[in-house]
């Protein structure tokens, strides 16, 4: 039985590529690796929407206040590849580490990752809830991380 069949008034919030200062995440990993290596290879054939956990939490609060229901996609605006994301992280931190694009086939992970995991913002926009761009979210994450 599906949750929405049991509780049609519930809201299921989907997100992707979550990052935050409270634990291990992609930006933190890239920063740490860049501090110890002159070059980094990062996958350039997977696309998604990086999402700052703080922005997601704020969106969920607003959805609750609006009695939202159904399946809602909540991610920061825009999309990129992991390579693009890493490149932006290094640029914003002033790192001199060289970043090179690679393919998923050359960077084997324990679980297969989807090539395209961008979620449409339409379900969130329906409630009039704006999300910042992932680049803006990354800047705020880096500022929070450094304090």
């Amino acid at each position: 039985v599906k949750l929405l069949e049991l509780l049609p008034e519930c809201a299921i919030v989907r997100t992707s590529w979550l990052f935050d200062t409270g634990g291990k995440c992609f930006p933190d990993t890239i920063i740490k690796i860049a501090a110890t290596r002159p070059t980094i290879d990062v996958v350039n054939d997977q696309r998604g929407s990086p999402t700052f956990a703080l922005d997601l939490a704020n969106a969920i609060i607003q959805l609750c206040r609006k009695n939202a229901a159904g399946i809602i996609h909540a991610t920061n605006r825009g999309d990129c590849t992991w390579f693009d994301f890493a490149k932006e992280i290094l640029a914003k931190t002033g790192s001199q580490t060289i970043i090179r694009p690679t393919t998923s086939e050359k960077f084997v992970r324990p679980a297969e990752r989807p090539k395209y995991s961008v979620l449409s913002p339409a379900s969130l926009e329906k409630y009039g809830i704006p999300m910042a761009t992932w680049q803006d979210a990354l800047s705020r994450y880096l500022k929070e991380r450094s304090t």
Side-chain angles (χ1 to χ4, degrees), residues 23-82:
K24 190 174 179 182
C25 64
F26 185 77
D28 185 61
T29 300
I30 291 297
I31 291 165
K32 286 178 179 173
I33 292 172
T36 63
R37 295 188 200 162
T39 61
I40 304 172
D41 293 336
V42 180
V43 172
N44 196 32
D45 59 1
Q46 296 174 18
R47 182 167 287 279
S49 298
T51 305
F52 188 21
L54 182 63
D55 291 350
L56 176 62
N58 287 329
I60 291 171
I61 290 167
Q62 291 179 63
L63 288 166
C64 291
R65 290 181 177 152
K66 294 177 185 236
N67 295 316
I71 298 172
I72 301 154
H73 295 164
T75 63
N76 283 113
R77 281 188 294 120
D79 61 86
C80 62
T81 66
W82 289 113

Side-chain angles (χ1 to χ4, degrees), residues 3-135:
L3 183 60
L4 287 173
E5 291 171 1
L6 289 172
L7 298 167
E9 69 282 0
C10 80
I12 298 169
V13 179
R14 297 181 70 216
T15 194
S16 69
W17 293 19
L18 200 60
F19 64 94
D20 192 33
T21 58
K24 190 174 179 182
C25 64
F26 185 77
D28 185 61
T29 300
I30 291 297
I31 291 165
K32 286 178 179 173
I33 292 172
T36 63
R37 295 188 200 162
T39 61
I40 304 172
D41 293 336
V42 180
V43 172
N44 196 32
D45 59 1
Q46 296 174 18
R47 182 167 287 279
S49 298
T51 305
F52 188 21
L54 182 63
D55 291 350
L56 176 62
N58 287 329
I60 291 171
I61 290 167
Q62 291 179 63
L63 288 166
C64 291
R65 290 181 177 152
K66 294 177 185 236
N67 295 316
I71 298 172
I72 301 154
H73 295 164
T75 63
N76 283 113
R77 281 188 294 120
D79 61 86
C80 62
T81 66
W82 289 113
F83 171 77
D84 297 329
F85 193 19
K87 195 165 58 171
E88 188 75 10
I89 293 162
L90 295 181
K92 287 183 183 293
T93 59
S95 174
Q96 298 302 308
T97 298
I98 297 166
I99 184 164
R100 298 180 305 205
T102 191
T103 64
S104 299
E105 290 75 30
K106 291 181 182 175
F107 197 84
V108 179
R109 304 282 302 157
E112 189 174 336
R113 305 287 186 223
K115 297 282 187 189
Y116 189 84
S117 59
V118 177
L119 302 172
S120 169
S123 56
L124 187 64
E125 290 170 354
K126 178 175 94 171
Y127 290 98
I129 301 171
M131 291 284 277
T133 64
W134 66 265
Q135 295 93 332

